[in-house]
Amino acid sequence: MKLLGISGTIIGAKTSIVVQKALDEVKRQNPDIEVELLDMRDYKVSFVDGRALSAYEDDTQKVIDMITSADFYIIGTPIFQGSITGVLKNLFDHIPPQVLRNKVMGFAATGGTYQHFLVIENHLKPIAGYFRAYVAPGYVYANNDHFNKQNEIVDADVLERIANLAQEVVFMQKALKTEGTV
């Protein structure tokens, strides 16, 4: 089984740190699961313009291939202006719907304040519904107060939510795999 963590931003580090921490927790709890981080800061993906994926001359096809090859996901985004990033929305627009159908997703978000935690409920979960993906019931929201000056997560509750998210996505993936629906 392969778990892909996606950090859906091209600036900042906190989202990538949270997603990586979740991947590390999955690996700690389940050494047999392959984990990989897709950090959008490391790739150049074109804006969706209707062309076939093979027509893009940057990393677009490579990124979609990474997503396609994964069995389940932990997807993170910072919250800007009360919404997900344009980078993540553009990435979702590139993904053929059948790629994510019946796959498990867990979500994480970061923001500057406490006010934006519902973006996961109001923006990300409906996108997962469009793709007909299964969504872990818990999620992680971390704001600036949950990190120290070295960008390390120092809030015990956030660390516990990360551990819980790691358990949930693995539990769901294994349960669905056993049932033969994924």
Side-chain angles (χ1 to χ4, degrees):
M1 270 189 297
K2 181 178 179 181
L3 171 62
L4 182 67
I6 301 172
S7 177
T9 184
I10 57 173
I11 62 168
K14 287 180 175 67
T15 301
S16 180
I17 290 165
V18 170
V19 172
Q20 184 63 59
K21 189 75 164 175
L23 294 176
D24 293 345
E25 186 65 24
V26 167
K27 194 66 174 174
R28 186 188 69 73
Q29 296 174 16
N30 304 274
D32 57 316
I33 294 177
E34 179 185 350
V35 298
E36 182 177 11
L37 176 65
L38 169 57
D39 190 332
M40 293 303 292
R41 295 179 299 178
D42 299 332
Y43 297 91
K44 180 165 176 32
V45 174
S46 294
F47 286 114
V48 172
D49 63 11
R51 289 182 282 165
L53 285 173
S54 60
Y56 293 100
E57 297 178 3
D58 52 18
D59 296 321
T60 302
Q61 180 70 55
K62 179 180 182 177
V63 166
I64 299 306
D65 288 345
M66 290 172 70
I67 293 167
T68 302
S69 70
D71 298 302
F72 61 129
Y73 311 90
I74 293 176
I75 301 171
T77 183
I79 305 304
F80 297 143
Q81 305 295 354
S83 186
I84 66 174
T85 63
V87 171
L88 184 58
K89 175 63 169 93
N90 185 60
L91 183 60
F92 282 134
D93 289 345
H94 274 294
I95 301 170
Q98 68 274 14
V99 167
L100 299 178
R101 181 179 290 275
N102 296 328
K103 291 189 177 180
V104 173
M105 293 181 178
F107 292 121
T110 57
T113 69
Y114 285 94
Q115 282 78 18
H116 297 300
F117 70 95
L118 284 176
V119 170
I120 293 171
E121 291 287 341
N122 297 325
H123 291 246
L124 287 170
K125 286 185 176 183
I127 291 169
Y130 166 77
F131 283 110
R132 304 293 191 255
Y134 298 107
V135 178
Y139 53 82
V140 175
Y141 179 78
N143 68 49
N144 291 341
D145 294 340
H146 299 136
F147 295 83
N148 65 16
K149 290 180 182 179
Q150 293 76 39
N151 264 349
E152 299 166 325
I153 303 166
V154 294
D155 186 272
D157 288 335
V158 170
L159 292 168
E160 183 177 345
R161 287 195 300 273
I162 289 170
N164 290 341
L165 179 63
Q167 290 174 342
E168 287 176 3
V169 295
V170 171
F171 174 81
M172 289 179 68
Q173 177 65 18
K174 286 182 177 180
L176 291 167
K177 195 85 162 152
T178 301
E179 294 295 321
T181 59
V182 175

